[in-house]
């Protein structure tokens, strides 16, 4: 029975003036009180007089098998099972160190992250895992070496059935090519609309959500028309540049699709030459990208945060605070940016009844940072403590 007292709080939706006391018992939050409330007999007080307490963060786009170095996706298929498990362990450690307590893996090899999710815990705090398994892709499509190429309706149907039988949390589909897979084209769709509709219909019949990797505008439109639950990247690239109409934003907002723009790239890092050439050719600069995401947020699009973490040295595991900060740079308020990685993210993946908020009955997944991220978002990187299910993590 523990009372954590901090200078202030962000409860997942709004700021709470301090001091704030969070009461934790048996791994759950059992109370939240403002002011210097008295400590009941038998409860232990832990004080963080300069800190802000927040719900643990969600990284909704990660590749735990990625080793956070350039060429990570190329190396992933060649790791031995033991090497891959070691990479996943290190990735989870990096995520936890920045306060991520729920991580959604959107593409593994050989169901490695799914197996890790289901493996008996060793007693040490670790982020909760949501796993998609290998992403469904076309023949030699984006991430084809992860082992799930499909051709035709029958194979698509079988791929969804296999994921349901294995118990994935979400179905990931590569709707367009990707910049990290040579030979694929980010400007073209990998599946037809009827094929994508089949995936969504089969997944929904099995009780599973679907999120679609979509860089080009037609792939985004396909995901909308197929009634996907989420869109990853949602870059809306065309040969004329980035094109996001008010009508498209209205439809995304009306459908409540969870859009994960996968921000969080180190602003000083240079993308690979081929990616840099493409972005320069169509004028898709970082500034343009951040402005478009902020515009989508203002239009009511449900923006969630995920960093595409682990795929390069510019996007290592632990990049989520940068993704949140990028939203603020683009013009989203700090509170709404933090919500994109707490309450909004939790609701988007069906965990809003027990995670993502400081609320009685919710899991005691907590992040304490030095300073006030609502005043200066970079305070989010000054992590002083992380709790998972009522247990403090060792951040050394």
């Amino acid at each position: 029975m523990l009372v954590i007292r901090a200078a202030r709080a962000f409860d997942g939706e709004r700021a709470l003036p301090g001091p704030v006391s969070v009461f934790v018992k048996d791994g759950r939050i059992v109370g939240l009180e403002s002011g210097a409330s008295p400590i009941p007999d038998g409860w232990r007080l832990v004080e963080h007089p300069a800190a802000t307490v927040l719900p643990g963060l969600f990284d909704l786009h990660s590749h735990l098998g990625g080793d956070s170095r350039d060429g990570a996706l190329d190396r992933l298929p060649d790791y031995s099972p033991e090497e891959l498990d070691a990479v996943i362990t290190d990735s989870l450690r990096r995520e936890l160190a920045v306060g991520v307590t729920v991580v959604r893996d959107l593409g593994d090899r050989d169901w490695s992250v799914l197996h890790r999710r289901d493996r008996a815990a060793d007693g040490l705090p670790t982020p909760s895992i949501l796993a998609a398994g290998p992403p469904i892709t076309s023949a030699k499509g984006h991430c084809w070496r992860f082992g799930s190429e499909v051709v035709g309706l029958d194979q698509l149907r079988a791929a969804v059935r296999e994921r349901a039988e294995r118990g994935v949390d979400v179905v990931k589909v590569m709707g367009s090519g990707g910049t990290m897979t040579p030979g694929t084209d980010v400007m073209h769709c990998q599946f037809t609309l009827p094929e994508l509709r089949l995936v969504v219909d089969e997944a929904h019949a099995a009780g599973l959500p679907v999120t679609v990797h979509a860089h080009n505008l037609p792939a985004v439109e396909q995901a909308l028309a197929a009634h996907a639950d989420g869109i990853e990247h949602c870059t809306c690239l065309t040969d004329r540049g980035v094109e996001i109409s008010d009508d498209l934003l209205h439809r995304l907002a009306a459908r409540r699709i969870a859009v994960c723009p996968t921000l969080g790239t180190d602003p000083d890092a240079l993308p690979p030459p081929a990616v840099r050439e493409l972005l320069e050719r169509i004028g898709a600069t970082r500034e343009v990208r951040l402005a478009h995401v902020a515009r989508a947020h203002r239009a009511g699009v449900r923006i969630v945060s995920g960093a595409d973490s682990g795929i390069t040295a510019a996007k290592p595991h632990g990049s989520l605070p940068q993704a949140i900060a990028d939203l603020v740079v683009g013009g989203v308020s700090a509170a709404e940016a933090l919500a994109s990685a707490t309450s909004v993210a939790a609701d988007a993946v069906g965990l809003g009844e027990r995670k993502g908020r400081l609320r009685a009955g919710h899991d005691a997944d907590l992040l304490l940072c030095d300073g006030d991220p609502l005043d200066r978002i970079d305070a989010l990187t000054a992590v002083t403590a992380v709790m998972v299910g009522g247990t403090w993590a060792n951040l050394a």
Side-chain angles (χ1 to χ4, degrees):
M1 298 185 295
L2 184 66
V3 181
I4 302 157
R5 183 169 291 162
R8 66 197 71 81
F10 175 75
D11 71 356
E13 298 174 350
R14 61 186 66 83
L16 302 178
V20 173
S21 298
V22 182
F23 292 75
V24 174
K25 181 180 179 181
D26 297 331
R28 297 290 182 91
I29 298 170
V30 296
L32 184 68
E33 296 184 8
S34 297
S37 53
I39 306 303
D41 290 342
W43 290 69
R44 182 167 62 91
L45 174 65
V46 176
E47 295 193 81
H48 290 264
T52 301
V53 59
L54 310 90
L57 305 176
F58 285 62
D59 183 348
L60 289 191
H61 193 129
S62 179
H63 295 278
L64 291 171
D67 60 19
S68 297
R69 295 182 290 134
D70 290 340
L73 298 187
D74 294 330
R75 279 188 298 278
L76 195 158
D78 298 324
Y79 280 126
S80 70
E82 294 76 18
E83 290 171 331
L84 187 51
D85 192 62
V87 171
I88 293 170
T89 296
D90 182 65
S91 301
L92 290 167
R93 178 190 62 80
R94 290 171 180 246
E95 295 278 357
L96 188 62
V98 299
V100 170
T101 56
V102 177
V103 59
R104 185 172 67 164
D105 185 276
L106 290 183
D108 69 9
R109 190 207 80 193
D110 290 340
W111 312 95
S112 54
V113 174
L114 196 70
H115 296 322
R116 182 56 172 263
R117 183 201 68 185
D118 295 341
R119 196 166 76 198
D122 57 9
L124 297 176
T126 190
S128 298
I129 296 172
L130 303 174
I136 296 174
T137 193
S138 58
K140 294 297 185 287
H142 184 37
C143 292
W144 65 272
R145 292 189 67 211
F146 288 16
S148 193
E149 299 171 87
V150 296
V151 177
L153 297 179
D154 288 342
Q155 289 187 13
L156 283 166
R157 189 177 290 109
V160 176
R161 186 180 304 118
E162 180 179 17
R163 281 152 180 76
E165 291 171 351
R166 288 181 178 270
V168 302
D169 300 290
V170 59
V171 173
K172 167 78 176 297
V173 185
M174 298 303 197
S176 74
T179 58
M180 297 296 173
T181 304
T184 69
D185 189 347
V186 298
M187 306 300 281
H188 288 87
C189 298
Q190 294 197 160
F191 296 103
T192 66
L193 178 56
E195 288 173 330
L196 198 57
R197 277 181 171 154
L198 173 74
V199 170
V200 174
D201 290 346
E202 291 287 323
H204 286 177
L208 291 171
V210 176
T211 195
V212 180
H213 161 106
H215 274 304
N216 65 68
L217 180 59
V220 172
E221 291 284 4
Q222 270 192 356
L224 257 170
H227 293 271
D229 305 279
I231 300 177
E232 307 303 310
H233 313 299
C234 199
T235 325
C236 297
L237 299 177
T238 75
D239 291 332
R240 301 169 299 280
V242 176
E243 293 188 0
I244 308 177
S245 68
D246 289 342
D247 175 66
L248 174 60
L249 293 179
H250 172 76
R251 286 181 286 130
L252 286 169
R255 283 281 319 284
R256 300 297 293 153
I257 288 179
V259 172
C260 184
T262 60
L263 305 179
T265 303
D266 181 347
D268 297 323
L270 288 176
V275 177
R276 187 163 65 249
E277 187 278 328
L278 170 66
L279 298 178
E280 290 174 351
R281 175 164 53 85
I282 63 176
T285 65
R286 177 175 182 267
E287 292 74 20
V288 167
R289 176 78 170 129
L290 298 186
H292 279 305
V293 174
R295 176 176 160 232
H297 181 270
R298 289 193 299 272
V301 177
R302 180 194 269 187
I303 301 293
V304 297
S305 280
D308 210 353
S309 51
I311 63 170
T312 66
K315 278 184 168 289
H317 290 288
S319 296
L320 187 72
Q322 180 63 54
I324 297 170
D326 280 351
L327 287 175
V328 177
V329 172
V332 177
S333 74
E336 291 170 318
L338 289 169
S340 76
T342 53
S343 61
V344 176
D347 290 344
V349 296
L351 294 177
E353 293 301 313
R354 64 184 185 92
K355 292 182 183 290
R357 292 173 175 86
L358 302 182
R359 183 174 294 175
H362 277 48
D363 294 347
D365 294 350
L366 307 176
L367 162 64
L368 289 110
C369 62
D370 192 14
D372 185 359
L374 291 161
D375 179 49
R376 288 187 54 191
I377 195 63
D378 60 354
L380 195 63
T381 62
V383 175
T384 57
V386 177
M387 174 177 280
V388 181
T391 300
W392 295 113
N394 180 5
L395 303 181

